[in-house]
Amino acid sequence: MNEEQELKIKKLKQENEKCKELQSAKSDMISISAHQIRTSLSAIKWIMKMFIDGDLGKLTTEQENLIKKAYEDNDIAINVVTELLEASKIENAEEKKYSFSEVNLIELIEDSIFDFSGEALSRKIEMIFLKPETKFPTIKADKQKFRVILQNLLENSIKYSNLNGKVFISIKEKNGLIEISVKDSGIGISEEGKKNIFEKFYRDTTAEKKECVGSGIGLFTVKKIVEGHGGKIWFESTEGEGTTFFFTVPVYKGSK
Amino acid sequence: MLKTILIIEDDTFLQRLETTKLKKEGYNILTAVNSVEAFKMIELNKTVDLILLDLLLPEVDGFAILEKIRKIDTTKNTPVIVFSNLSEEKDVSRAKKLGASEFMVKSNFTLDEISQKIKTLIG
């Protein structure tokens, strides 16, 4: 390699580092901005609820109806902020290269369930992990990206479930592959949706009927990440009854 | 005997709402807006039954406070609900590793729901 080429490579590396720093700064800015907005929305949510519950004195019927509407609209704003945050996270996950290491899948699933325990509680949804009783093999995965798969599927199962529903998470090993499933008893996917559910920006009519806010890029990215790990993803669904997503990942050959 | 909750929250308006609600639910409430006040409260009140902890606090953040809480004899086993509008996976993970009992995103819950959660932890 000559001096000019070496200089070009050095410059490219510097530009690459700069891009990474900018990306990181952008992520931090989005996170902090979301935090600020959510703080204000939290205060509004709590006060509205106190009015609705009669904690701040009796309301007229008209006042109560107006405040209930404001409370619902505020919740929509909160969901939009959450979706923007998620879309930003997913965008970052798509762009980075994979960094594989041996991963304990049981722990990763338990951590992801913990992450969503609050949200599930708020919707009175029970998350049940059917954990294997015997020792389970590890996988080779990009832990950050793999977490995006689990978070996306868990979040969807909670979001599209009806109140007091159950979400079952299970894993099994078969023929050198680990199969993970996330099952809900929620709104299901329409026949039209089944053909397009993994398309970027696609949102099923069932989701829109339930007035769930969503960016539509989650499952597109989940599929890419699953395939990036050498796995497959598919689902079974009945509209009005629920959906089960399945995906596979190869067992780590060095697993004991 | 009343159970005691320490609320560590620098937003005084949110702190006031949380205090109002939890007092109504029959808890004794202590409050702090930063780490100095928080540890003063812990030193003066040997029995704190639960801590509600914000993360973005002035000078010393909630993570550092949580780490120290887990090293003090009187609070090392006290349930701590991290109560924040941060929700990044790295924040939740870090809080869990430092010993948080729960991580709740403020904007996702009403005060009733937070109170119910507290009841399941300390009665």
Side-chain angles (χ1 to χ4, degrees):
Chain A
M1 205 184 297
N2 64 34
E3 207 177 295
E4 196 186 329
Q5 284 171 324
E6 277 181 18
L7 220 63
K8 277 187 182 165
I9 289 171
K10 189 178 173 186
K11 198 172 175 200
L12 279 171
K13 280 184 180 171
Q14 283 170 344
E15 292 296 320
N16 190 41
E17 280 310 308
K18 224 194 245 177
C19 281
K20 281 184 190 172
E21 279 168 28
L22 280 171
Q23 186 62 32
S24 176
K26 179 183 148 195
S27 288
D28 286 344
M29 197 202 75
I30 290 171
S31 179
I32 298 292
S33 301
H35 176 273
Q36 304 288 66
I37 296 169
R38 276 168 158 175
T39 297
S40 301
L41 295 176
S42 302
I44 295 168
K45 181 184 178 97
W46 295 353
I47 291 165
M48 295 283 181
K49 193 64 167 55
M50 286 168 85
F51 270 116
I52 293 166
D53 291 345
D55 290 343
L56 301 172
K58 194 159 166 55
L59 300 172
T60 65
T61 307
E62 193 190 356
Q63 286 171 337
E64 195 179 332
N65 289 337
L66 287 172
I67 288 177
K68 275 182 179 167
K69 180 69 175 74
Y71 177 80
E72 284 162 18
D73 284 351
N74 189 61
D75 265 354
I76 290 173
I78 289 170
N79 286 335
V80 168
V81 172
T82 302
E83 279 294 320
L84 286 172
L85 263 180
E86 287 304 311
S88 165
K89 248 195 289 187
I90 286 168
E91 197 183 30
N92 287 342
E94 267 191 311
E95 283 166 5
K96 290 181 198 157
K97 288 186 190 150
Y98 287 78
S99 171
F100 289 102
S101 62
E102 189 178 359
V103 170
N104 183 319
L105 184 54
I106 307 271
E107 273 178 19
L108 195 57
I109 292 174
E110 284 176 331
D111 282 350
S112 299
I113 291 172
F114 177 80
D115 290 350
F116 284 95
S117 57
E119 203 170 322
L121 174 70
S122 72
R123 293 180 53 77
K124 298 181 177 41
I125 294 189
E126 195 182 349
M127 289 202 288
I128 300 161
F129 180 24
L130 304 171
K131 206 161 116 175
E133 284 171 18
T134 54
K135 196 170 177 219
F136 209 74
T138 52
I139 59 171
K140 196 170 165 189
D142 179 317
K143 199 171 177 181
Q144 280 283 82
K145 284 186 185 313
F146 207 87
R147 210 187 272 276
V148 170
I149 301 172
L150 293 169
Q151 287 175 335
N152 210 276
L153 295 181
L154 287 174
E155 189 185 16
N156 281 350
S157 68
I158 293 166
K159 194 158 74 173
Y160 299 122
S161 279
N162 299 314
L163 284 180
N164 299 311
K166 285 186 166 67
V167 172
F168 293 93
I169 304 106
S170 62
I171 55 174
K172 64 182 181 188
E173 187 198 350
K174 194 178 172 185
N175 303 327
L177 288 175
I178 293 177
E179 182 184 290
I180 301 119
S181 68
V182 178
K183 177 186 163 79
D184 67 63
S185 51
I187 59 177
I189 303 169
S190 69
E191 286 309 308
E192 178 67 26
K194 285 174 184 174
K195 299 175 217 156
N196 300 307
I197 204 76
F198 291 114
E199 298 297 314
K200 201 170 189 178
F201 302 121
Y202 180 79
R203 297 206 70 233
D204 195 27
T205 49
T206 51
E208 283 168 0
K209 270 185 223 160
K210 200 171 162 37
E211 294 180 348
C212 286
V213 179
S215 61
I217 65 171
L219 286 175
F220 170 78
T221 302
V222 161
K223 184 168 184 273
K224 278 183 80 173
I225 297 173
V226 166
E227 288 167 356
H229 281 80
K232 276 171 51 177
I233 183 166
W234 69 100
F235 61 90
E236 290 167 4
S237 183
T238 306
E239 191 172 346
E241 289 181 20
T243 303
T244 307
F245 274 92
F246 303 88
F247 69 99
T248 56
V249 60
V251 168
Y252 176 51
K253 288 193 169 72
S255 186
K256 289 167 192 154
Chain B
M1 197 171 138
L2 288 184
K3 295 273 168 92
T4 297
I5 297 173
L6 170 59
I7 299 174
I8 308 172
E9 166 66 71
D10 66 321
D11 185 311
T12 49
F13 186 56
L14 291 184
Q15 192 199 85
R16 189 174 132 202
L17 293 175
E18 290 160 14
T19 301
T20 305
K21 176 64 180 176
L22 293 173
K23 270 187 175 168
K24 244 184 151 180
E25 296 295 319
Y27 296 104
N28 177 36
I29 302 298
L30 306 171
T31 58
V33 296
N34 56 40
S35 65
V36 170
E37 284 186 15
F39 290 113
K40 204 181 270 183
M41 283 291 161
I42 288 169
E43 202 186 303
L44 293 172
N45 299 273
K46 295 302 173 191
T47 313
V48 170
D49 297 294
L50 183 136
I51 297 169
L52 204 56
L53 172 64
D54 189 17
L55 286 180
L56 284 189
L57 293 162
E59 287 164 31
V60 179
D61 69 19
F63 294 113
I65 293 173
L66 178 53
E67 201 170 3
K68 195 171 170 187
I69 282 170
R70 288 299 177 232
K71 290 180 178 156
I72 298 172
D73 278 337
T74 52
T75 56
K76 64 183 178 193
N77 296 316
T78 303
V80 176
I81 297 178
V82 167
F83 197 37
S84 172
N85 274 320
L86 291 177
S87 61
E88 294 285 300
E89 172 269 319
K90 60 178 167 62
D91 300 316
V92 179
S93 254
R94 192 176 168 196
K96 191 187 173 193
K97 282 193 176 96
L98 289 170
S101 314
E102 288 285 342
F103 191 111
M104 296 175 79
V105 177
K106 286 175 193 164
S107 56
N108 290 352
F109 294 93
T110 62
L111 292 172
D112 269 336
E113 286 160 347
I114 293 143
S115 170
Q116 277 164 37
K117 186 66 202 176
I118 291 173
K119 272 195 183 67
T120 65
L121 288 172
I122 62 170

